[in-house]
Amino acid sequence: MNELLRVLLVEDSDEDAELFQRVLQREEFELEITRAVSAKEFSAFIDQKKYDIVVSDFQLIDTNGFEILEIFNTRHLDIPFITVSGRVGEENAVRLMRKGARDYVMKDQLSRLAPVIRRELEEYRARRENEYFERKLQESEAKFSQVFRFSPDPVVITDDKLIIREINYSYLAMFGLMIDEAVGQKIDTLAMWEKHENFIQYLLKMRLGAHSPSTECSMTDAEGKERTIHWSLKSIQVNDEELLLWNGRDLTELKQLEGKLQQTERIHAIGTLAGGIAHDFNNILAVIYGYAEMGLSNSEGKPRFHRYFSEIIRSSDRAKELIKQILTFSRMEEGKRDIIDPAPIVKEALKMIRATIPSTVELKAHIESGHHIFANISHIHQIILNLCTNASYAMKKKPGTLRVSLDSIESFCRLQVQDTGVGITPETMKRIFLPYFTTKDVNEGTGLGLSVVHGIVEKYKGSIDVASKPGEGTCFTILLPLSHGDDENNITDEEPNNTLSNIRTDQKILIIDDEPSIVNYLQELLSSSGISVDSETKSTEALKRFLSVPPQTYATVITDQSMPTMTGTELAYRLRKYDPAISFIFITGNEESIPESVIRDLGQGIILSKPVSSGDLLQTLRGFMS
């Protein structure tokens, strides 16, 4: 026979109420559901009959979970109150628990609902039993003792001097104690307690007449793990003697959930920040890249300046890829991969590392070429930077050696980063790949580095091994599968065509970008080759200019996407109505800001990512204006 469950359900959605019922029926509950769709109905129904449990949606049309919980608390009922929500923030979740909600379940995780209800009903019955035996303590101490000792929560009874009189099995098991090690001792002298001042506060509150004072304490269990226990204190009378009943509840899992919610919020913040900086940073890179290319084209016969400009362009390309990688990481996406030889990438990264690590650290490298892998260039660059930065930090207090090697073993490309630093303790070794875990001081690290490295290696179906001894240094070994593709056909180093040959110079181009420096660069690049160029830094002014001249005055519009008042695509739709023959080149720091459907609608248009090379831009113009 199925268990009868009398539920007061607060839910204003018919679909969600039906889904709730189906979920519990599948778990073999015999249901008796009373449904309220508003705070007013809930207030009336809660007084009409007895319920086993209250389940409430967090967001209702006329109210929210806090108001429902407040009405519930005024009835002084001891039945469980569970919140079910499609979306509840970390702060709201914590507030609900503190105000008396026993638990909460997300609507996209309703499989948890039945286990949560069963657990809360069991705890509810246990609480009711404990209360019953407390009332009967003076009448039958033997009966009370059985319930007390087998309570699932840690419970202790002391006298008013904090000397332990009774202690239950849950407490003893949790903290690895024998009963004779605890009874007769002062409760605040047991080794697992970390904050004795909490007990003084308890006693002061008791003397002031406060009702059931409570607090949270950090305690170390028998396995050496830190637990957060919520303790409530209550004065009871037993045989005319005042005793103190200490009732604990393990909140460790709840605290871990709070930490995960905070971590999720931080990752979301990283994604928001990454999206915000990408556009501005790429605008800066576009100017650096553009003028460096112009300098390169005018450095013939000046080898030193040719090398300078080449290095600027190469570093700008790397910065562009790193920005893409930041965006990829914040969106948890895979990122584009190609068949690459990691050797030149590692060498380039080591040049950057050499310039940033202390001069007391000797950098030794053994890099073998020809070991091709299917990977994202920025991922490899990021692995090197993170591992070498950590290794350098481990040696910052004394001279040391940083060794980096790249070779192959069997069917894997092997990368090793070894330092002679302080090493890693066994305790720290267990946590080094956890997000946000760091041994660095505040403002010296985020704790994301090794987590990112571990995630990349896992995506590539590789392996990462750490060998370390405190005081003797650390060695990270990464194995990535070798590629069996045609490497020569996939790795090219074509020089861009930086000329305007075959481009008609009798046609005009309109440039729009809210960064004047980018407009100036593009105007100088194109004007120097004889193309007539007009420019604007405001999309609204560009629209006025375009509408003031006859159709087909401009052959092509080069426009930024992210601009105040009107985006590049919005401007393009308006211009296309006036001149259907116009073509568009969208230059953007974030390709995903322009849907592919927009390019299809406009017909003749293309997207170029900032910073765009002069070769790519001129090649595109050649296709539109030849």
Side-chain angles (χ1 to χ4, degrees), residues 161-350:
K161 299 292 191 298
L162 305 186
I163 302 298
I164 297 175
R165 295 284 190 85
E166 298 285 348
I167 189 167
N168 76 342
Y169 295 135
S170 292
Y171 192 112
L172 296 173
M174 182 177 292
F175 300 109
L177 295 172
M178 300 297 292
I179 192 167
D180 56 357
E181 294 176 323
V183 174
Q185 302 292 319
K186 288 189 68 174
I187 190 171
D188 61 343
T189 62
L190 297 182
M192 71 288 302
W193 291 96
E194 295 185 3
K195 295 184 179 180
H196 298 173
E197 64 270 17
N198 290 323
F199 302 96
I200 298 174
Q201 294 174 11
Y202 283 162
L203 294 180
L204 288 176
K205 289 180 180 179
M206 290 297 292
R207 296 297 179 262
L208 293 174
H211 175 71
S212 189
S214 61
T215 194
E216 293 178 7
C217 293
S218 295
M219 307 181 73
T220 305
D221 66 14
E223 297 179 356
K225 297 179 181 178
E226 184 177 297
R227 289 180 176 270
T228 300
I229 309 295
H230 179 273
W231 288 100
S232 61
L233 182 62
K234 189 172 185 179
S235 177
I236 59 175
Q237 293 291 326
V238 179
N239 297 330
D240 298 327
E241 182 182 12
E242 182 182 11
L243 298 178
L244 300 177
L245 176 66
W246 305 73
N247 202 329
R249 186 181 182 195
D250 190 350
L251 300 182
T252 306
E253 291 186 2
L254 177 61
K255 291 296 181 181
Q256 291 173 346
L257 177 59
E258 290 179 10
K260 290 179 180 178
L261 289 172
Q262 291 175 354
Q263 177 179 318
T264 300
E265 291 299 321
R266 291 176 70 181
I267 291 176
H268 287 167
I270 289 174
T272 302
L273 177 63
I277 68 172
H279 176 260
D280 291 340
F281 199 81
N282 277 325
N283 278 342
I284 298 171
L285 277 179
V287 178
I288 296 172
Y289 194 97
Y291 281 110
E293 281 198 323
M294 294 178 68
L296 183 65
S297 65
N298 290 285
S299 62
E300 292 183 10
K302 301 176 182 179
R304 184 172 60 176
F305 289 103
H306 188 279
R307 178 166 54 86
Y308 291 165
F309 287 121
S310 296
E311 286 298 325
I312 294 173
I313 292 172
R314 186 176 293 108
S315 295
S316 297
D317 282 331
R318 178 64 60 235
K320 177 182 177 180
E321 289 301 317
L322 286 177
I323 291 173
K324 285 185 177 181
Q325 182 56 34
I326 291 171
L327 291 171
T328 298
F329 174 72
S330 67
R331 294 189 295 261
M332 298 303 177
E333 295 176 355
E334 184 71 17
K336 183 181 178 181
R337 298 193 203 177
D338 294 298
I339 297 177
I340 62 171
D341 182 351
I345 303 167
V346 174
K347 291 178 181 178
E348 183 179 338
L350 291 180

Side-chain angles (χ1 to χ4, degrees), residues 135-155:
R135 292 194 301 268
K136 297 294 183 177
L137 183 61
Q138 294 180 5
E139 301 174 3
S140 179
E141 188 168 345
K143 292 181 180 180
F144 168 79
S145 179
Q146 286 295 102
V147 174
F148 167 82
R149 297 203 182 281
F150 292 102
S151 169
D153 294 322
V155 185

Side-chain angles (χ1 to χ4, degrees), residues 10-14 35-38 57 59-62 107:
V10 188
E11 176 59 72
D12 56 7
S13 167
D14 294 338
R35 181 183 167 198
V37 298
S38 65
D57 191 2
Q59 193 64 53
L60 302 163
I61 293 177
D62 67 334
K107 285 187 176 180

Side-chain angles (χ1 to χ4, degrees), residues 117-129:
I117 289 177
R118 287 196 170 94
R119 183 199 67 206
E120 290 303 325
L121 290 177
E122 290 175 1
E123 291 186 8
Y124 167 69
R125 296 187 186 103
R127 291 197 305 274
R128 294 299 299 271
E129 289 176 0

